[in-house]
Amino acid sequence: MRLQHAFISALAIMCLAPADARAQISDDVVRIGVLNDQSGLYADLGGPGSVTAARMAVEDAGGSVLGKPVEIVFADHQNKSDIGAAIARQWFDVGKVDMAIGFDNSAVALAVEQLAAERNRIAIAGAVGSTAFTGKNYTPNEASWVYDSYALTTSLAKSTVAEGRDSWFFITVDYAFGHSLEADATAAVQAAGGKVLGSVRHPLNTSDFSSYLLQAQASGAKVVAFANGGGDMINAVKQANEFGLAKNQSMVSLLIFISDVHSMELKAAQGLKFVTAFYWDRDDESRAWSKRFFEKRGRMPTMAQASVYSAVRHYLNAIAADGTDEAKAVMAKMRAMPVNDFYVKNGHVREDGRLVHDMLFAQVKTPSESTKPWDYYKILGVIPGDQAFRPLAEGGCPLVAR
């Protein structure tokens, strides 16, 4: 009887103890690794700016969670999946990193998500277009926070075909991201009654697009669609303007970041229609955070950089709510908790890891329409999250299929 009383007393004391006293934080530190292109063609859209955003999220959380410090580390994967995988493996096995975020390259993301699952760590994708990340390659330890190729292409292709521009030619970057963009855009064009006249693929980080542009011109397609991003998209659009492509054909970019428009300048980018997850000047909350970011970086944030802040804050909130940084428990809590911040309103992490949120249908302003620095976008409409992203049942996620 005395033993029973002692057990009940100990249980009561434990239940009354503050959450921090019962918290389980591995190694007494929560480590977050930002893994992306720090110096190449995708560095402007993510790169050092994503590291800044992650640090801002930690600062706004008070620098700690459950009384334990939060550390940010970062590395450059150089857009090579083997290098990205090696860094992630070292982080998880030796560096005791709990969560890797960013990637901004589909091939790297697909490699890291498998490692994270094997090591029971978390992988959160930023600017990653491959639908396989939350589809056939899905693991319970990951989430995708910005877009995928379905969200970027489907609404855009349907609206373009509806305007009468119903024959397409693709200039596509030759790796998982470009392939996924082209495949989803092709499906949307054909579903809307349009047709694809051809496509050509180019290596990542291409400087000369002349041969690809000549093939696009010769196709006679009404639309030349660029299924690439970052420096590749910038070079392709600039050279297309030099070739006079826009005189007889419409140019569509399936992925645009505000950093791209800034690099091209409005004269070259004006009129491009696209789908985006975020615009700094959308409302008071987005403006306030973006101005803080601008003070640190000297430029407005991209959707990838804004998403890193959002995902890190949500991750830390989930740890605080669940009392542990154990990966599967944290992911379950992240799926259970809504996402509400300057980046996403009423978002939720779906069973397949997809953060479902509204997307914006936008167009690049003309120079005369822009009234202030970084005033680059016109928001044409909002695409509700349940329409923007691929239905869960169609994703091919093996765990959902069961």
Side-chain angles (χ1 to χ4, degrees):
M1 183 66 69
R2 289 180 182 176
L3 182 61
Q4 185 180 23
H5 282 305
F7 173 76
I8 293 171
S9 298
L11 182 63
I13 291 170
M14 186 173 70
C15 291
L16 292 170
D20 285 7
R22 303 195 307 274
Q24 298 179 8
I25 300 297
S26 58
D27 312 308
D28 291 326
V29 176
V30 174
R31 290 188 179 87
I32 298 169
V34 180
L35 179 61
N36 61 16
D37 178 357
Q38 289 280 312
S39 57
L41 79 164
Y42 295 155
D44 281 350
L45 66 89
S50 288
V51 179
T52 297
R55 288 172 173 162
M56 289 173 66
V58 173
E59 290 168 6
D60 289 351
S64 64
V65 60
L66 296 174
K68 304 298 182 182
V70 181
E71 295 180 358
I72 299 293
V73 298
F74 64 93
D76 186 348
H77 58 46
Q78 302 173 47
N79 289 302
K80 297 178 180 177
S81 58
D82 57 341
I83 292 177
I87 292 169
R89 188 177 294 108
Q90 195 277 336
W91 275 359
F92 296 150
D93 293 350
V94 181
K96 300 179 180 178
V97 168
D98 299 290
M99 186 263 277
I101 189 170
F103 315 134
D104 304 341
N105 179 297
S106 292
V108 174
L110 293 170
V112 174
E113 77 170 333
Q114 298 305 314
L115 283 168
E118 292 169 8
R119 270 66 172 183
N120 197 31
R121 300 293 192 268
I122 289 175
I124 299 182
V128 171
S130 174
T131 53
F133 189 85
T134 56
K136 63 181 181 180
N137 287 67
Y138 171 75
T139 78
N141 290 44
E142 49 95 333
S144 184
W145 221 256
V146 190
Y147 56 66
D148 56 28
S149 58
Y150 184 99
L152 290 172
T153 63
T154 303
S155 298
L156 178 61
K158 287 179 179 178
S159 67
T160 302
V161 172
E163 293 170 351
R165 292 175 288 169
D166 56 1
S167 59
W168 288 50
F169 186 94
F170 290 93
I171 295 178
T172 303
V173 63
D174 193 11
Y175 77 105
F177 161 61
H179 303 169
S180 191
L181 272 181
E182 182 182 327
D184 282 325
T186 295
V189 167
Q190 293 173 341
K195 54 187 176 181
V196 174
L197 301 185
S199 67
V200 64
R201 291 179 175 176
H202 67 84
L204 185 68
N205 204 13
T206 297
S207 58
D208 183 3
F209 281 84
S210 57
S211 64
Y212 312 118
L213 293 168
L214 287 171
Q215 292 180 64
Q217 282 183 317
S219 74
K222 295 177 183 178
V223 176
V224 176
F226 300 110
N228 52 19
D232 282 334
M233 192 279 296
I234 293 169
N235 286 333
V237 171
K238 283 182 175 179
Q239 291 173 40
N241 281 317
E242 293 168 2
F243 272 70
L245 213 70
K247 293 178 181 178
N248 300 305
Q249 295 169 293
S250 296
M251 294 187 296
V252 168
S253 176
L254 301 179
L255 176 59
I256 290 182
F257 292 88
I258 198 166
S259 53
D260 302 331
V261 177
H262 189 71
S263 295
M264 286 188 286
E265 299 183 350
L266 289 178
K267 185 177 180 180
Q270 61 182 314
L272 286 173
K273 291 182 180 179
F274 58 99
V275 172
T276 186
F278 172 78
Y279 181 45
W280 74 269
D281 202 20
R282 183 183 182 189
D283 56 33
D284 289 342
E285 198 174 1
S286 63
R287 279 188 287 272
W289 184 85
S290 297
K291 288 177 180 177
R292 289 177 54 208
F293 182 91
F294 186 89
E295 290 171 359
K296 296 177 181 292
R297 298 295 311 170
R299 56 198 300 123
M300 286 301 178
T302 67
M303 56 178 159
Q305 292 158 347
S307 78
V308 167
Y309 178 98
S310 173
V312 170
R313 283 304 304 269
H314 193 66
Y315 170 70
L316 295 177
N317 288 341
I319 292 175
D322 210 52
T324 180
D325 65 349
E326 194 278 323
K328 287 185 173 59
V330 173
M331 282 306 311
K333 185 61 69 172
M334 290 178 72
R335 288 190 289 269
M337 295 168 58
V339 183
N340 276 298
D341 52 33
F342 72 90
Y343 171 71
V344 167
K345 295 289 184 276
N346 301 314
H348 66 277
V349 181
R350 207 165 58 181
E351 188 179 352
D352 61 351
R354 171 75 266 157
L355 175 64
V356 178
H357 57 90
D358 294 348
M359 298 288 284
L360 306 175
F361 189 37
Q363 184 174 25
V364 178
K365 289 183 174 182
T366 65
S368 62
E369 290 173 323
S370 179
T371 61
K372 58 188 176 183
W374 295 89
D375 178 24
Y376 295 156
Y377 294 177
K378 288 188 291 186
I379 304 302
L380 303 178
V382 177
I383 309 166
D386 59 354
Q387 297 176 28
F389 292 97
R390 180 181 58 186
L392 180 63
E394 297 177 11
C397 172
L399 300 184
V400 171
R402 291 199 193 112

